Amino acid sequence: FFGSQNGLCVFDPVNIPSNIDLPGIILSAMKVYNYDRVGGEPAELLASGQITLKHFQNSFALTFNVPDHALADIVEYSYRLTGAGDQWYTMNSYEGNTVDFRNLAPGSYVFEVRARVRNQPWADDIESLDLHIRPPLWLSWRAKTLYVVAALAVLIVILGFYKRKLDLEYKLVLEKNDH
């Protein structure tokens, strides 16, 4: 029993839920810095679970939520970016629900986020997004193959000139010995 200006409040502690079930997490937005479009509608891209970015789109922000906004103030989030590290980072409700990533190297990453109500265990439901950042043209496997072929061609030309020089020197020595 509690008394207040409005009267008497009665509650049964047994009826207070000890474990609040969270609905699944939704990746709600993605903002790529210094670039307007990723290549499709953001909602469709996030729903597909896989996004491919160009090398200059390597700075971006991901926003996530739980669908029940009544729980927004008591939800904690934890995220990680596999490929850049396997450590989980925890965010409280006052820190927001947006994560910034800046200047990621080309490669494949998996963004994972999970949620929980404060003082409860982490939910088993983990939302994930596969991210692939393409390398720039000069670092692609085609360019690296071209670099190796060009280096081998230069080496063959240099060895050819060196062999020709040795042949000419040998012929000069033979001519001097014949005369």
Side-chain angles (χ1 to χ4, degrees):
F1 293 103
F2 290 100
S4 70
Q5 291 179 347
N6 295 331
L8 190 61
C9 296
V10 178
F11 75 94
D12 187 1
V14 175
N15 293 334
I16 296 176
S18 61
N19 194 5
I20 300 172
D21 292 330
L22 273 178
I25 301 169
I26 298 172
L27 290 172
S28 56
M30 178 177 190
K31 179 180 180 186
V32 178
Y33 297 115
N34 299 327
Y35 196 72
D36 292 336
R37 295 196 49 146
V38 177
E41 293 301 318
E44 294 172 7
L45 291 171
L46 292 172
S48 72
Q50 185 173 357
I51 293 181
T52 300
L53 301 171
K54 297 176 180 155
H55 71 280
F56 56 85
Q57 297 174 320
N58 61 351
S59 295
F60 55 89
L62 291 168
T63 303
F64 40 86
N65 290 315
V66 289
D68 188 354
H69 294 291
L71 300 174
D73 291 337
I74 60 172
V75 173
E76 293 179 340
Y77 298 100
S78 180
Y79 70 92
R80 71 178 171 184
L81 188 65
T82 306
D86 288 335
Q87 183 177 355
W88 285 96
Y89 298 97
T90 303
M91 301 173 63
N92 295 320
S93 57
Y94 60 85
E95 293 175 312
N97 55 349
T98 300
V99 179
D100 292 323
F101 295 102
R102 304 212 183 260
N103 297 324
L104 288 176
S108 295
Y109 302 94
V110 177
F111 175 74
E112 296 176 317
V113 63
R114 60 187 179 177
R116 73 174 178 184
V117 175
R118 285 189 205 129
N119 299 324
Q120 289 186 8
W122 291 105
D124 294 333
D125 184 26
I126 295 177
E127 183 67 26
S128 66
L129 176 66
D130 293 332
L131 294 160
H132 180 72
I133 300 174
R134 291 186 186 143
L137 179 64
W138 58 90
L139 291 178
S140 67
W141 68 269
R142 291 179 181 104
K144 290 177 182 178
T145 302
L146 182 65
Y147 300 153
V148 170
V149 168
L152 288 174
V154 168
L155 183 63
I156 289 171
V157 168
I158 290 172
L159 289 175
F161 281 125
Y162 183 69
K163 183 181 181 312
R164 185 172 178 219
K165 177 186 170 236
L166 289 177
D167 288 344
L168 288 173
E169 286 177 355
Y170 180 69
K171 285 181 183 178
L172 183 65
V173 169
L174 283 178
E175 283 184 16
K176 284 186 181 180
N177 289 342
D178 287 344
H179 289 75

